[in-house]
Amino acid sequence: MSGVDTLLAETDAPSTTVHERLDVRDLPPPEPLQLTLETLADLDDDAVVVQVNDRVPQHLFPQLDDRGFGYEVIDDGDPVVTAIWRV
């Protein structure tokens, strides 16, 4: 997944070596949302979750806003990469 690392470098996500990768491309809705939120519940302060999806996770964004997370999406097709971090 070196392409994901390249895409992640294009975001404003904090530069850290701690990345939790979630490849949710094969999961049916609402599992990608649920898995991502469960992972974020245990996220260390200096970690970044990288969600790899086949679409922009529109339903995730309000949840991230409500919980105070920063995020950025790189949508160059498949995969769509969303970096998520604590603000």
Side-chain angles (χ1 to χ4, degrees):
M1 272 221 241
S2 62
V4 171
D5 292 328
T6 302
L7 292 174
L8 185 58
E10 297 176 22
T11 71
D12 290 330
S15 57
T16 178
T17 57
V18 181
H19 295 122
E20 175 84 28
R21 289 192 181 153
L22 299 176
D23 189 339
V24 298
R25 289 178 281 188
D26 293 331
L27 298 177
E31 289 179 32
L33 174 67
Q34 292 170 336
L35 179 60
T36 302
L37 293 176
E38 288 170 5
T39 302
L40 291 172
D42 297 327
L43 187 67
D44 291 336
D45 289 341
D46 60 345
V48 176
V49 169
V50 179
Q51 187 202 66
V52 181
N53 206 330
D54 60 353
R55 65 185 67 112
V56 175
Q58 296 292 335
H59 298 288
L60 178 62
F61 303 145
Q63 300 288 332
L64 297 176
D65 291 336
D66 288 348
R67 290 168 171 79
F69 285 95
Y71 58 92
E72 190 168 342
V73 177
I74 303 294
D75 182 7
D76 289 340
D78 188 6
V80 174
V81 175
T82 304
I84 308 164
W85 62 91
R86 290 194 186 277
V87 178

